[in-house]
Amino acid sequence: GAGVSQSPSNKVTEKGKDVELRCDPISGHTALYWYRQSLGQGLEFLIYFQGNSAPDKSGLPSDRFSAERTGGSVSTLTIQRTQQEDSAVYLCASSPYTDSPLHFGNGTRLTVT
Amino acid sequence: AQSVTQPDIHITVSEGASLELRCNYSYGATPYLFWYVQSPGQGLQLLLKYFSGDTLVQGIKGFEAEFKRSQSSFNLRKPSVHWSDAAEYFCAVGPQGQKVTFGTGTKLQVIP
């Protein structure tokens, strides 16, 4: 079946521009996560959506970062006024319910020049 | 808040040798624990998980991990490493109903 889909797979943007990263989770999965993977930094938690509950935004590094999840399905991660330190691979994952293993997408590689 | 420590950033083993990757977690109650693998150019794949019950869990690709509550550890082991095991390995903890937190990863290099 279809896995977690992320788009675009690669994004190059100029410093100061806004970017939107999209995640299509597996159909029926209620939990959705965004992580950031920088060289040597492991997976940094950004935000977690679970059903209709308020999202856990505790990992967002600054107010330039925001995310929404429409209709309990597709999610968009928005980075405003991008900085060079935002360059990383942004990974989305979903799971059918809380505490079940995560299914990861292939990520969006963001490069800020 | 929960946390995960993987003390070894990089490990090199010879093909056929045994492997142990360390993982220590911090969480007040019994956690849910996971190991994921990220092969070069690939996405993250679940190797195994511990939720409850038998503290020795078996995973895919011949891997196993043991939950030791007294040591707050969940180390990953494999008796004989294959060249295809070269990858980055991530330990993760996911307390009930809360976010999943990952360690910084251990890169495994396998030499002939």
Side-chain angles (χ1 to χ4, degrees), chain B residues 22-92:
Chain B
R22 295 183 291 166
C23 172
N24 292 95
Y25 68 91
S26 174
Y27 181 62
T30 300
Y32 292 172
L33 295 159
F34 309 87
W35 275 99
Y36 288 82
V37 60
Q38 187 176 37
S39 299
Q42 309 250 331
L44 281 125
Q45 179 183 21
L46 178 73
L47 278 177
L48 48 79
K49 63 184 185 291
Y50 172 79
F51 282 3
S52 65
D54 193 347
T55 56
L56 183 64
V57 293
Q58 304 296 321
I60 61 171
K61 305 184 181 185
F63 286 92
E64 66 178 26
E66 186 171 12
F67 170 59
K68 292 186 176 180
R69 183 189 303 276
S70 61
Q71 299 177 19
S72 297
S73 69
F74 189 56
N75 294 350
L76 182 71
R77 300 194 295 249
K78 186 169 185 178
S80 178
V81 169
H82 187 262
W83 64 266
S84 61
D85 294 325
E88 190 159 19
Y89 292 81
F90 294 92
C91 182

Side-chain angles (χ1 to χ4, degrees), chain A residues 33 35 37 39-45 48 50 56 58-59 89 91 97-106, chain B residues 32 34 36 38 41-46 49 51 88 90 94-105 107:
Chain A
Y33 295 77
Y35 292 89
Q37 187 173 23
L39 197 60
Q41 298 296 314
L43 273 76
E44 177 188 4
F45 167 79
Y48 164 48
Q50 174 54 50
D56 178 347
S58 61
V89 176
L91 292 167
Y97 47 86
T98 307
D99 306 325
S100 59
L102 304 183
H103 299 255
F104 281 86
N106 289 328
Chain B
Y32 292 172
F34 309 87
Y36 288 82
Q38 187 176 37
Q42 309 250 331
L44 281 125
Q45 179 183 21
L46 178 73
K49 63 184 185 291
F51 282 3
E88 190 159 19
F90 294 92
Q96 253 186 329
Q98 298 179 40
K99 67 192 180 196
V100 177
T101 300
F102 284 79
T104 51
K107 284 189 178 175

